[in-house]
Amino acid sequence: ISFAQLDHAHASPFFNMLYNNYHGSKDRFTSSTGNQTYTLSVVEDHLSGLMWTKTQESSATQSNAMANANASSRDGFSDWRAPTPAEYLTINSWGVATGGMDYPPFNLTLQTVEMWTNETLPNTTGNGATFYANIFQIGLTININRDSKSNSLPYFMVRNFS
């Protein structure tokens, strides 16, 4: 559980913390070395206490995505996993017109993208939960959908770091 808070008085509250993170800055997103120069392929989110891969992983079936994440040793960490739908929502910025993750360090334009989560929807056979973002001229819609677990979709990896 993170007790961090966003600085809602700041011009960009989604990216700025009310208090310093453990690196000594008020930046919400940093590299694991505490700056905003992402030389490694990971991003620390000091609001949620989650570390994310900076880019999407290649498309895979849901079971392969989860297995690949669990087996990863990206940047020296061995406790990676596929994120939950709720975890995807923590890095979705409602103030970004071109997509909820189209901001540094992710820079992912989500025109219509489905990404695997680590969940299976109840009362469904062979379907996994996907995080789905669709950008319209009038706004952003976010859905948690079901998709056949045998379909190949991209995904991110996440781990707790706090």
Side-chain angles (χ1 to χ4, degrees), residues 78-157:
S78 60
D79 55 348
W80 292 102
R81 58 185 169 75
T84 66
E87 288 169 338
Y88 272 120
L89 287 173
T90 66
I91 59 171
N92 182 75
S93 173
W94 300 100
V96 176
T98 57
M101 292 172 67
D102 188 13
Y103 58 85
F106 298 106
N107 299 317
L108 177 66
T109 303
L110 300 175
Q111 294 303 323
T112 300
V113 174
E114 275 187 281
M115 296 177 278
W116 281 125
T117 71
N118 68 0
E119 296 184 6
T120 299
L121 296 176
N123 302 319
T124 61
T125 304
N127 290 317
T130 59
F131 178 81
Y132 177 77
N134 195 354
I135 311 304
F136 296 100
Q137 288 181 335
I138 57 171
L140 170 69
T141 61
I142 300 293
N143 297 305
I144 306 304
N145 288 344
R146 68 176 181 217
D147 208 322
S148 171
K149 290 181 179 184
S150 62
N151 288 349
S152 285
L153 297 172
Y155 61 99
F156 277 87
M157 296 190 304

Side-chain angles (χ1 to χ4, degrees), residues 41-42 53 57 64-82 155 157-159:
S41 60
V42 297
T53 51
E57 301 301 308
N64 285 343
M66 292 192 318
N68 293 345
N70 292 338
S72 178
S73 59
R74 171 79 51 89
D75 289 338
F77 301 103
S78 60
D79 55 348
W80 292 102
R81 58 185 169 75
Y155 61 99
M157 296 190 304
V158 67
R159 61 178 293 276

